[in-house]
Amino acid sequence: MLYRRSLQLGELPLDWKEALVSPIYKKGAKNLAANYRPISLTAILCKILESIICEVLLDHMLKNNALSPKQYGFIHGRSTVLQMLHYLNHCYEIVARDGVVDVIYLDYAKAFDSVPHRRLLSKLVSYGIRGNIHKWIHMFLTARHQSVVVNGIRSSSAPVLSGIPQGSVLGPLLFVIYINDLPENIDSDIYMFADDTKILRPIKERQDSYKLQHDLNRMQAWSDKWLLNFNPSKCKIQECNPGRMVHCKGWSFGGGAMAVVSAGVTSLTRVVAGLVAVWGPGAGLLRGARAVVAYSTRQDSSSYAEVVPEEDQELETFPDLWQGIFLWSFFSVMFIHVVSAIIAFLMLRQHKYGRFSAACVLLIGLLTTLVMSAATSAAIGFVLYQAKIPLQPIHAMICGISQTALLILFSFSRFMPTL
C-alpha cells in the first residue's frame, strides 16, 4: 500500500531521502578526504522499492535494445569477466598477426557524485521513461540531505545538490543510462564497465593514430557537454607491440599529455601473446573461450554452428580444447605442490617439527590440488556443456583426475624419500 501510494503520487517520505554517509578508505594518505569513497546508507524500505523500479527500468531498456553493447556494468548477463574475454581476445588477434594496438584507459573523477540531475532526467525522457516512474526518480534524486558518520559521531545534515547516491540500488543503473550514449561518438573499439573505460585501435598506419586522438577529443567534448570530468592521473595509454612501427607519440587529453604504461609491461604482454600464438594448446584454449563467449552472448536462438566462427568449430573434438585445459591446469596447480614440498622440507631442516607434521603439510597440498583441479575442470566442462558445445562433463573429470594422479606421482617420487 505504501509503495503503490508512493508511485502513484511520485513522492517519497522525507526519511527515505535522508542518507548517512560512511566514508570507505580507498588508497593513499588516510588524512585526505579525497581518498575515501562516500557510501550512502539509506532506508531499507526505500531500497526494496528501488529494486522493483530498477527491474522495470532494466527490462524496458533491454526490450527496446537501448543499452549499449559496449557497457558491461550492472546489467544482467554482463560482467567484468565477459568484458575481459572480449577485450583480451581482440588484442590477442591483433598482436598474434604481428600487429600493433594502442589501448587507452580512462577514468572519471567522482563520477557518481558529479551527475547533474536535470541532464539525467532529460536522458530518461529520451529513452521513453516518463510518467509516474520519471516523477518518482525526480523526487528520489532531488531535495536529498546527508550527514557523515565517523566512529559513531554524526555531522550536521547538508543538502545534496548533484550526483547519484552511492550505495543505493537504483543509482548504478541510472549512471549507466546517463553515459549510455558515449560509445556512439567513438569510432574506435570501446569497452566500459560503469565509468571505467578503455578504447583501443589497431595501428596500421600513422592515420590510425590520428583517428584515435580524434576519438579522445570527442570523448573530452562529450564530458564537457554532460559535466563529467575525467581524472587525468588515472588516464593512461598502453602500446602493445610498439617496436613494430613508428606512429604518433605524445598523446594529449584534457589539456595535458597522457602517461604511457611502462615498456616492461608492454614487453611482457608481447612475449606472452607471442608464446600463446605459437603454442597450440594455449591457442586452442583461447579459441575455446571465444567460442563460449560467441555462443553465450547471441541475441537469438541461433545454433552453435551459426554463431561460432568456422575456424573455431573444430573445437568440438576432444583433444583440441581439452589438451589446452589439461596443460594449463597442470602447470598452474603444480605450484601448490612445489610450495607444500618446500614447506615440508624447511620444517625438517629446522628440527622443530617431526616427520609426521611435514608429511601432513605435503598431504594437505596434494589434497588441495586434487579438489581444486577436479572442481575447476568439472566447472569448465559444465559451462561448455551448458553452452551446447558437444563436449561431455566427464571429459573434465578425466582431465582433472589424470593430471592430479601425475602430480601426486611426481611429488611422492621426488620428496617422500626425504621424509
Side-chain angles (χ1 to χ4, degrees):
M1 184 64 181
L2 177 62
Y3 291 161
R4 185 182 297 110
R5 190 66 174 171
S6 177
L7 288 172
Q8 289 175 348
L9 298 178
E11 298 180 356
L12 287 79
L14 294 179
D15 291 342
W16 290 9
K17 304 173 72 171
E18 183 76 26
L20 300 179
V21 177
S22 178
I24 304 298
Y25 173 71
K26 295 189 293 186
K27 61 180 180 179
K30 293 188 176 181
N31 60 337
L32 297 179
N35 294 330
Y36 290 82
R37 186 186 308 278
I39 301 299
S40 299
L41 304 178
T42 57
I44 299 297
L45 290 177
C46 184
K47 286 181 178 291
I48 296 174
L49 185 54
E50 285 181 61
S51 64
I52 298 173
I53 296 176
C54 185
E55 290 293 333
V56 173
L57 291 183
L58 184 59
D59 184 67
H60 168 79
M61 297 293 289
L62 292 176
K63 283 185 176 180
N64 292 279
N65 294 322
L67 288 175
S68 171
K70 304 299 184 180
Q71 176 62 256
Y72 292 83
F74 308 111
I75 301 174
H76 296 319
R78 307 181 192 179
S79 64
T80 54
V81 176
L82 187 60
Q83 183 203 56
M84 180 189 68
L85 286 173
H86 281 294
Y87 165 69
L88 290 180
N89 180 68
H90 192 176
C91 291
Y92 160 75
E93 288 180 335
I94 298 173
V95 177
R97 297 189 181 98
D98 207 21
V100 180
V101 57
D102 285 353
V103 185
I104 299 177
Y105 299 87
L106 303 171
D107 186 72
Y108 291 96
K110 299 186 180 301
F112 276 67
D113 298 329
S114 304
V115 175
H117 295 158
R118 289 186 178 180
R119 284 173 168 80
L120 172 58
L121 293 170
S122 66
K123 283 199 172 186
L124 292 177
V125 173
S126 67
Y127 288 117
I129 302 172
R130 303 181 177 88
N132 291 338
I133 290 184
H134 184 273
K135 184 178 179 181
W136 192 94
I137 295 175
H138 177 262
M139 296 303 298
F140 172 77
L141 293 173
T142 57
R144 297 186 66 92
H145 289 77
Q146 65 182 16
S147 56
V148 181
V149 178
V150 178
N151 295 330
I153 302 176
R154 180 175 177 177
S155 69
S156 57
S157 181
V160 179
L161 303 179
S162 65
I164 298 172
Q166 296 193 53
S168 63
V169 177
L170 188 58
L173 180 59
L174 292 178
F175 182 82
V176 166
I177 294 175
Y178 188 71
I179 64 173
N180 187 60
D181 62 329
L182 174 59
E184 298 175 3
N185 303 293
I186 307 302
D187 293 331
S188 303
D189 295 297
I190 182 171
Y191 298 88
M192 304 171 63
F193 188 90
D195 61 319
D196 293 327
T197 306
K198 48 180 169 280
I199 60 176
L200 62 91
R201 191 181 191 92
I203 307 298
K204 299 179 181 179
E205 54 186 8
R206 190 177 297 272
Q207 190 67 24
D208 293 325
S209 298
Y210 298 147
K211 291 178 180 179
L212 187 56
Q213 179 63 61
H214 184 57
D215 284 335
L216 282 177
N217 297 338
R218 286 181 176 180
M219 294 192 70
Q220 183 63 55
W222 185 94
S223 66
D224 293 339
K225 176 182 179 181
W226 297 103
L227 304 182
L228 285 182
N229 297 321
F230 286 97
N231 187 350
S233 63
K234 293 184 178 180
C235 297
K236 304 181 185 300
I237 181 170
Q238 181 181 24
E239 299 173 343
C240 299
N241 215 3
R244 293 300 180 185
M245 64 183 298
V246 178
H247 53 283
C248 179
K249 301 294 182 182
W251 300 92
S252 62
F253 185 66
M258 295 187 65
V260 179
V261 176
S262 63
V265 175
T266 54
S267 298
L268 178 61
T269 303
R270 181 173 56 181
V271 170
V272 172
L275 290 175
V276 170
V278 300
W279 185 36
L285 181 58
L286 286 178
R287 288 165 54 207
R290 181 172 61 182
V292 173
V293 171
Y295 186 87
S296 61
T297 57
R298 71 195 191 285
Q299 299 298 323
D300 52 26
S301 57
S302 304
S303 65
Y304 171 82
E306 294 172 339
V307 176
V308 179
E310 182 177 355
E311 63 182 85
D312 294 332
Q313 290 182 15
E314 62 187 65
L315 294 173
E316 295 177 8
T317 59
F318 172 80
D320 207 21
L321 176 58
W322 286 108
Q323 184 184 8
I325 295 177
F326 175 84
L327 293 177
W328 174 75
S329 300
F330 181 89
F331 288 108
S332 63
V333 301
M334 184 181 292
F335 176 76
I336 295 180
H337 286 276
V338 174
V339 170
S340 62
I342 291 175
I343 293 176
F345 176 75
L346 293 177
M347 291 174 66
L348 291 176
R349 290 290 299 272
Q350 292 294 327
H351 301 289
K352 294 182 179 180
Y353 305 93
R355 293 188 178 185
F356 177 77
S357 299
C360 287
V361 172
L362 185 59
L363 182 61
I364 290 174
L366 295 175
L367 293 177
T368 302
T369 306
L370 173 64
V371 174
M372 185 183 71
S373 175
T376 302
S377 298
I380 296 175
F382 180 74
V383 170
L384 294 174
Y385 181 74
Q386 289 296 99
K388 302 189 185 308
I389 297 177
L391 290 172
Q392 298 298 325
I394 190 63
H395 293 162
M397 295 301 299
I398 294 175
C399 284
I401 294 174
S402 59
Q403 71 185 17
T404 303
L406 290 175
L407 290 173
I408 292 175
L409 178 62
F410 164 78
S411 299
F412 273 94
S413 62
R414 175 63 183 85
F415 296 104
M416 285 307 292
T418 308
L419 301 178

